[in-house]
């Protein structure tokens, strides 16, 4: 495999975290504990990380012990067999994820939950208040007949009721599956129809910015299609009501006063906790089953050691209930931190809203998308000057590649007193597999390195580890939060095909990446969207990094149509110009010059095509693969499920372009 010559082999150091961040980090307490309790001393992050994967069983046992996981019965051993995909963790142990969320002493004053919404007034809940609501919801679900293993579905916004319903479901050993109300009825049915929930908890509508969204017809259709649903519970939220539905129960009825105690049913470590769904942009979403113990241990480790969260801290990360980041947000409760739940348009009333909320709520870790931070940079936002962000210690970034210019902008705003923690992971493991920590340096344009306990590497096509070259991101040892399976995939064939087909016994993540000799990681996009230009693999993120500073480009998407005979194929760049800008020959010359000068002649597109919009999934992923499929002749509905897109109409321009190519005798190339 030939590496793209423009990819640097050595990362550029941006800064070391300020001494006060390093010295006060939660991870330092863990290191002291290891020394005192286990006689283990590590004088560098690198040695700690190597030990955490070489001695996998010992590392995860210390995580269990350090955090005092509340087990009802003990485990017999940690990991009897490392063979994937059938690795079993902590056999014999019984526990409950929801119980660990209430493992910290009650604080009657500090809010555990701050919920900000454009649909209703702000809500704050202390831990005792949250526990009381969970107690009532648990009793209500029991009255509806919910038992261990039943599925409870939430078509809910990022609001306290979603959190309460999830924790109540988990407390019973039932299985939660969530979906955001902005999804269309077809997309919701595609997801929930696979797992056959017995209870559906939903809203009739919501407000997004200044738009009132009525979901009553969608809910009626969903209810009619889901024959497994015995009860529908309406959360009062936004305009309208579901009173026309037969057998409807109100949220107030579900959570009516009761004498039933709040208890947590012990379940096996591998008992299903939640079903998360893949994006579903290219077919029915995969129903990924995650286990109680897996998410519990992984999030304890990630949130405390990588994100530096603990009692007194607060996590703000804009997400919807359809994204794995919602589960990560909720899990801040596991380490004693509070959470900020945001529902509505994150850019309303203006671009500064998320910074404003971080200041108002005293967030110590704020999560943001690369697109949001780059928009702030472009608009001249100065967050550290404009807002009181004195409590902020980390800025988490995930969701898509973050360009080097974004790293420098964040450093200009905050210096070394706020750790820029850029990470990558996904729904498959519900965590970050590469990211930073307060004990690690920050490199320009790169993720600092492998997370603790994650044996992550880059492989070439033959399954050999490579450093300094682009390859497939793989995980070569099991993680507790790897999927238990796909719902309904009884023989495991779909799971093996999804993750273990290319490299037997090794988890292929699906990203195209390069590790430096320092361990830092550059991810250039999904491997199935990587461009193979005359035998050289080009990551799509490289294009977007250059184009985000070209004035004639508001947004863009690039695809490569391979030549069936092994030639260069055709590289097509679709550009959304800013309002009022015409993509004339001079503008196209500037785009070509930027790509040629910053990257290489191989990155120069064969065609530059203006479009009105770029398609995105509802979790913020730019959809190169569906565009490529349309150019090869697929109809839009086959290339991408409309309900999984932010704007299904964004595909229209690509359909028109494909039809014009067909008429001109230039259909999509092979590949």
């Amino acid at each position: 495999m030939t590496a793209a010559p423009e990819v640097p082999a050595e990362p550029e150091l941006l800064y070391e975290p300020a001494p006060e961040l390093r010295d006060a980090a939660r991870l330092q307490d863990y290191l002291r504990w290891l020394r005192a309790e286990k006689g283990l001393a590590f004088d560098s992050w690198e040695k700690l990380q190597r030990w955490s994967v070489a001695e996998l069983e010992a590392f995860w046992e210390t995580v269990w012990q350090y955090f005092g996981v509340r087990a009802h019965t003990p485990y017999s051993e940690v990991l009897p067999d490392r063979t994937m995909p059938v690795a079993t963790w902590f056999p014999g142990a019984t526990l409950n994820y929801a119980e660990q969320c209430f493992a910290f002493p009650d604080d009657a004053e500090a809010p555990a939950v701050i919920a900000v919404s454009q649909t209703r007034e702000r809500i704050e809940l202390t831990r005792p208040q949250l526990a009381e609501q969970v107690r009532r919801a648990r009793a209500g679900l029991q009255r509806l007949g919910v038992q261990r293993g039943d599925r409870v579905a939430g078509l809910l916004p990022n609001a306290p009721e979603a959190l309460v319903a999830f924790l109540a479901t988990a407390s019973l050993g039932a299985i939660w599956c969530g979906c955001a109300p902005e999804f269309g009825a077809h997309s919701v049915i595609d997801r929930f129809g696979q797992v056959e929930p017995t209870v559906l908890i939903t809203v009739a509508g919501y407000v997004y910015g200044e738009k009132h969204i009525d979901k009553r017809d969608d809910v009626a259709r969903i209810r009619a299609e889901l024959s497994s649903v015995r009860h529908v519970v309406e959360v009062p939220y936004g305009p309208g009501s579901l009173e026309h539905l037969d057998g409807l129960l109100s949220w107030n009825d579900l959570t009516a006063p009761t004498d039933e105690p709040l208890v947590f049913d012990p379940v096996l470590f591998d008992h299903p906790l939640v079903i998360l769904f893949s994006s579903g942009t290219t077919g029915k979403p995969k129903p990924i089953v995650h286990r109680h113990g897996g998410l519990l241990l992984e999030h304890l480790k990630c949130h405390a050691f990588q994100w530096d969260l603990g009692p007194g801290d607060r996590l703000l990360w804009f997400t919807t209930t359809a994204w794995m980041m919602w589960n990560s947000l909720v899990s801040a409760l596991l380490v004693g931190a509070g959470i900020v739940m945001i529902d509505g348009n994150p850019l309303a009333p203006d671009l500064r809203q998320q910074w404003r909320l971080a200041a108002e709520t005293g967030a110590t870790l704020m999560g943001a998308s690369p697109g949001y931070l780059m928009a702030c940079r472009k608009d001249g936002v100065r967050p550290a000057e404009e807002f009181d962000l004195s409590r902020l210690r980390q800025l988490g970034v995930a969701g898509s590649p973050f360009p080097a210019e974004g790293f420098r902008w964040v450093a200009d705003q905050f210096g070394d007193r706020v750790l820029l923690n850029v990470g990558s992971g996904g729904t498959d493991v519900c965590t970050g597999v590469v990211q930073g920590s307060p004990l690690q340096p920050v490199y320009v344009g790169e993720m600092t390195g492998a997370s603790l306990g994650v044996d992550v590497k880059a492989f070439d096509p033959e399954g050999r580890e490579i450093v300094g070259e682009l390859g497939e991101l793989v995980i070569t040892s099991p993680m507790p939060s790897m999927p238990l399976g796909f719902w309904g995939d009884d023989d495991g064939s779909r799971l093996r095909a999804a993750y273990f087909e290319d490299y037997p016994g090794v988890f292929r993540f699906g990203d195209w990446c390069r590790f430096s000799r320092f361990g830092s990681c550059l991810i250039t996009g999904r491997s199935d969207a990587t461009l193979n230009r005359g035998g050289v693999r080009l990551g799509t993120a490289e294009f977007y990094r250059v184009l985000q500073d070209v004035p004639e480009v508001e947004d863009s998407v690039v695809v490569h149509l391979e030549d069936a005979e092994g030639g260069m194929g055709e590289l097509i760049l679709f550009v959304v110009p800013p309002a009022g800008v015409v993509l004339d020959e001079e503008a196209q010359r500037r785009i070509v010059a930027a790509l040629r000068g910053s990257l290489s002649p191989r990155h120069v597109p064969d065609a530059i095509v203006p479009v009105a919009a770029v398609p995105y999934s509802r979790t913020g992923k730019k959809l190169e693969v569906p565009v490529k499929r349309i150019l090869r002749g697929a109809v839009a509905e086959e290339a991408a499920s409309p309900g999984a897109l932010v704007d299904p109409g964004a595909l229209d321009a690509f359909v028109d372009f494909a039809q014009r190519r067909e008429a001109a005798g230039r259909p999509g190339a092979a590949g």
Side-chain angles (χ1 to χ4, degrees):
M1 180 180 63
T2 305
E6 67 281 359
V7 177
E10 302 293 340
E12 174 191 344
L13 178 67
L14 185 63
Y15 64 83
E16 298 273 359
E20 55 267 28
L21 287 181
R22 295 174 59 89
D23 295 344
R26 182 80 182 270
L27 190 52
Q28 297 283 19
D29 185 69
Y30 171 66
L31 290 172
R32 289 189 290 269
W33 181 89
L34 282 178
R35 188 178 299 111
E37 298 293 328
K38 303 294 181 182
L40 296 170
F42 300 100
D43 58 9
S44 70
W45 167 274
E46 291 75 18
K47 292 179 181 178
L48 175 65
Q49 207 284 330
R50 284 198 296 271
W51 170 76
S52 74
V53 296
E55 303 294 336
L56 207 60
E57 295 83 359
F59 168 71
W60 284 108
E61 186 169 42
T62 66
V63 172
W64 181 293
Q65 294 170 346
Y66 174 76
F67 288 103
V69 170
R70 294 189 173 185
H72 293 254
T73 57
Y75 52 87
S76 58
E77 52 188 321
V78 176
L79 182 62
D81 185 352
R82 291 193 182 192
T83 304
M84 293 187 285
V86 294
T88 298
W89 290 89
F90 294 93
T94 57
L95 42 67
N96 192 290
Y97 170 97
E99 183 174 12
Q100 198 75 26
C101 288
F102 295 101
F104 289 84
D106 290 342
D107 187 336
E109 301 297 330
V113 178
I114 300 175
V116 181
S117 169
Q118 290 159 5
T119 302
R120 63 186 181 192
E121 295 299 314
R122 180 176 304 193
I123 294 174
E124 295 189 2
L125 297 173
T126 62
R127 282 184 184 268
Q129 289 170 334
L130 176 61
E132 172 63 12
Q133 290 204 18
V134 172
R135 183 181 72 85
R136 293 186 178 194
R138 171 191 164 90
L141 290 174
Q142 283 183 308
R143 289 194 299 272
L144 298 183
V146 174
Q147 300 178 7
R148 179 175 302 194
D150 287 344
R151 277 75 64 207
V152 176
L155 182 59
L156 295 169
N158 187 18
E161 290 88 347
L163 171 63
V164 169
F166 165 59
L167 293 176
T169 299
S171 76
L172 290 166
I175 306 166
W176 178 258
C177 49
C179 199
E182 59 262 30
F183 279 60
H186 181 76
S187 293
V188 176
I189 294 165
D190 273 354
R191 287 161 170 78
F192 291 166
Q194 296 184 69
V195 301
E196 299 179 308
T198 59
V199 175
L200 172 65
I201 306 175
T202 184
V203 296
Y206 60 95
V207 177
Y208 188 83
E210 297 182 353
K211 297 179 181 178
H212 289 243
I213 312 297
D214 189 338
K215 299 295 294 185
R216 288 176 292 180
D217 289 345
D218 276 359
V219 173
R221 179 183 166 193
I222 293 164
R223 174 67 181 90
E225 292 284 338
L226 298 180
S227 59
S228 63
V229 171
R230 300 194 300 265
H231 305 280
V232 177
V233 179
E234 180 184 4
V235 172
Y237 202 79
S241 170
L242 298 172
E243 57 190 5
H244 62 291
L245 286 185
D246 292 335
L248 185 71
L249 186 72
S250 74
W251 177 258
N252 288 338
D253 289 337
L254 183 76
T255 58
T258 176
D259 293 331
E260 293 294 324
L262 177 56
V263 295
F264 302 93
D265 291 0
V267 296
L268 290 172
F269 188 96
D270 277 355
H271 186 75
L273 167 69
V274 61
I275 299 171
L276 302 182
F277 298 95
S278 64
S279 63
T281 52
T282 56
K284 273 198 174 183
K286 297 190 293 289
I288 303 170
V289 182
H290 285 289
R291 62 195 95 186
H292 272 253
L295 289 197
L296 170 57
L297 276 191
E298 172 57 39
H299 288 174
L300 283 171
K301 179 265 298 184
C302 174
H303 287 44
F305 299 160
Q306 314 273 173
W307 292 2
D308 198 30
L309 290 171
D313 289 322
R314 189 162 292 140
L315 171 60
L316 180 153
W317 201 311
F318 174 77
T319 179
T320 73
T321 54
W323 190 21
M324 54 78 58
M325 281 310 307
W326 187 80
N327 298 86
S328 293
L329 175 71
V330 169
S331 285
L333 298 172
L334 293 171
V335 295
I339 63 175
V340 182
M341 307 183 79
I342 304 171
D343 177 50
N345 184 346
L347 304 182
D350 55 45
L351 190 62
R352 290 165 167 79
Q353 177 65 357
Q354 292 185 54
W355 301 113
R356 188 178 297 117
L357 289 175
E360 291 175 1
T361 59
T364 54
L365 190 159
M366 172 181 165
S369 70
Y372 176 71
L373 295 179
M374 295 307 290
C376 289
R377 171 181 177 267
K378 188 173 185 178
D379 206 49
V381 177
R382 307 286 297 178
E385 296 177 8
E386 297 178 35
F387 303 99
D388 178 9
L389 297 171
S390 55
R391 276 178 51 86
L392 191 68
R393 296 199 309 272
Q394 278 204 39
L395 182 64
V397 182
S400 60
F402 190 41
E405 292 77 8
F407 279 72
R408 294 192 174 93
W409 179 80
V410 171
D412 287 344
Q413 304 306 308
F414 296 103
D416 62 359
R417 74 166 188 84
V418 173
L419 174 68
L420 174 59
N421 192 346
V422 181
S424 183
T427 305
D428 317 85
V429 292
C430 199
T431 191
V433 297
V434 286
Q435 57 184 322
S437 79
L439 304 191
Q440 297 171 270
V442 180
Y443 296 107
V444 176
E446 306 211 0
M447 284 151 280
T448 304
S451 301
L452 288 177
V454 183
D455 196 3
V456 62
K457 298 177 173 66
F459 269 15
D460 69 10
E462 285 71 46
R464 297 183 295 251
E465 182 182 0
I466 51 177
V467 176
E469 299 180 48
L470 290 169
E472 286 277 2
L473 182 68
V474 299
I475 304 173
T476 57
S477 299
M479 294 172 59
S481 67
M482 281 180 173
L484 184 63
F486 296 159
W487 190 264
D489 180 29
D490 295 335
D491 63 359
S493 57
R494 291 180 63 199
L495 181 78
R496 290 191 296 273
Y499 302 117
F500 297 96
E501 196 168 67
D502 292 351
Y503 307 108
V506 173
F507 191 102
R508 186 183 73 86
F509 210 74
D511 283 334
W512 193 240
C513 71
R514 186 265 297 145
F515 283 92
S516 75
R517 66 184 180 91
F518 297 103
S520 63
C521 179
L522 173 71
I523 291 181
T524 62
R526 295 293 294 174
S527 55
D528 56 4
T530 300
L531 317 173
N532 192 342
R533 187 80 156 150
V536 176
R537 300 291 291 268
L538 314 175
T540 56
E542 300 171 281
F543 288 81
Y544 307 141
R545 175 177 61 82
V546 172
L547 295 173
Q548 53 94 20
D549 277 338
V550 176
E552 290 82 6
V553 180
E554 184 74 24
D555 201 354
S556 61
V557 62
V558 62
V559 297
H560 181 240
L561 301 178
E562 293 88 349
D563 187 332
E565 299 179 358
M568 292 290 286
E570 189 174 5
L571 188 66
I572 306 174
L573 175 65
F574 297 93
V575 169
V576 180
V581 173
V582 177
L583 205 63
D584 55 18
E585 290 185 7
E586 180 59 31
Q588 295 195 35
R589 278 196 292 270
R590 282 193 287 270
I591 291 171
V592 167
L595 291 170
R596 184 188 299 273
S598 297
L599 298 176
S600 78
R602 290 183 183 273
H603 290 80
V604 174
D606 297 295
I608 300 176
V609 182
V611 292
V614 166
Y616 285 88
S617 73
R618 291 193 178 276
T619 54
K621 305 289 186 184
K622 191 176 292 192
L623 300 178
E624 295 109 336
V625 173
V627 169
K628 185 173 182 176
R629 290 181 176 178
I630 288 172
L631 298 191
R632 285 176 169 170
V635 298
E637 291 76 12
E638 294 175 354
S641 174
L645 274 62
V646 173
D647 175 16
L651 294 178
D652 293 347
F654 302 97
V655 173
D656 292 343
F657 179 75
Q659 291 172 346
R660 292 198 303 271
R661 284 171 58 85
E662 184 74 27
R666 299 175 63 200

